[in-house]
């Protein structure tokens, strides 16, 4: 991972194309991002699938919990009437190793499988660990990743309390803190950075707010419209 300001596409580029799809990620790359943020769940047959909600109803023609569906059944569904639910591996193969992939662990039991996928890409496809950033609100999942493989960069998500996030980050040697942008001030960004953490703000879609975040000196922004970063 480099020291430049990171332009990150949220769920691909969800301001323009259905979130967490191959097409949304492809567009983000074309719009000039440094990386993409995607959400993962474990589905009923054990694979990691890229999807935001715990249930299928809002984004697909299926219904109920994604954790109850097998991958082959999920692949029959349409996202936003036109797209498909990708696996994490499909997204990684699309993105390639010139970008940062921020994998957000949405639910419990995602840590082990995510570590296995990352290790597989490092060993067999010669990706660097620095191509990955695993973030979560689920502290237990981040702790598990930390136990399994200390080389995987970790990010602590918060929408409530930056200080608590930093305190937890210290216990897992996290690389970054990912606060909702509304929590940030010039002072607390500097405080987090002085503690040794990158600050990645989400989800910032307005030009005036983007400008303010940059004035605060954040290290990266996750946006639905990454072309305006
Ligand atoms: O990773 C930042 C952001 O994506 C967290 O919230 O609900 O959009 O996954 P959400
Ligand atoms: Ca997310």
């Amino acid at each position: 991972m480099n020291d430049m300001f990171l332009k990150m596409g949220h769920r691909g580029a969800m301001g323009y194309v259905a979130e967490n799809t191959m097409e949304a990620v492809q567009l983000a790359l074309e719009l000039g991002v440094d990386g993409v943020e995607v959400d993962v769940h474990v589905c009923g047959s054990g694979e990691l699938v890229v999807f935001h909600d715990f249930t299928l109803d809002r984004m697909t023609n299926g219904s109920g919990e994604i954790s109850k569906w097998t991958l082959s059944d999920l692949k029959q569904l349409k996202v936003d009437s036109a797209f498909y639910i990708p696996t994490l591996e499909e997204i990684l193969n699309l993105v390639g190793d010139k970008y940062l992939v921020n994998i957000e662990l949405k639910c419990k039991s995602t840590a082990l499988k995510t570590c296995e996928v990352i290790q597989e890409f490092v060993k067999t496809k010669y990706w660097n660990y620095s191509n990955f950033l695993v973030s979560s609100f689920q502290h237990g999942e981040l702790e598990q990743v930390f136990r399994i493989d200390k080389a995987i960069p970790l990010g602590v998500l918060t929408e409530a309390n930056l200080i608590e996030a930093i305190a937890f980050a210290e216990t897992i040697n996290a690389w970054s803190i990912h606060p909702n942008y509304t929590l940030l001030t010039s002072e607390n960004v500097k405080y987090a950075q002085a503690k040794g953490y990158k600050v990645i703000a989400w989800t910032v879609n307005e030009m005036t707010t983007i400008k303010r975040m940059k004035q605060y000196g954040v290290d990266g922004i996750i946006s639905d419209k990454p072309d305006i970063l």
Side-chain angles (χ1 to χ4, degrees), residues 91-163:
I91 292 290
L92 295 178
N93 283 322
L94 169 67
V95 173
D97 65 357
K98 302 291 177 281
Y99 296 89
L100 175 62
V101 183
N102 176 190
I103 304 166
E104 184 190 341
L105 309 184
K106 270 292 167 205
C107 65
K108 299 220 165 93
S109 309
T110 42
L112 175 60
K113 192 77 200 164
T114 300
C115 290
E116 288 171 357
V117 169
I118 291 173
Q119 288 171 339
E120 176 74 11
F121 273 71
V122 169
K123 278 190 195 126
T124 66
K125 295 175 188 273
Y126 308 106
W127 284 43
N128 294 307
Y129 278 104
S130 59
N131 291 123
F132 299 97
L133 176 56
V134 174
S135 64
S136 191
F137 291 105
Q138 308 267 2
H139 289 187
E141 294 305 301
L142 292 177
E143 284 170 341
Q144 202 181 339
V145 174
F146 182 59
R147 273 197 299 277
I148 294 169
D149 191 338
K150 298 206 169 13
I152 297 175
L154 296 175
V156 179
L157 274 159
T158 181
E159 54 188 340
N161 192 317
L162 192 74
I163 302 304

Side-chain angles (χ1 to χ4, degrees), residues 43-47 49 66-75:
C43 70
S45 48
E47 296 85 355
V49 286
I66 193 164
S67 63
K68 302 269 166 44
W69 285 61
T70 63
L71 181 60
S72 59
D73 286 343
L74 288 173
K75 284 291 186 187

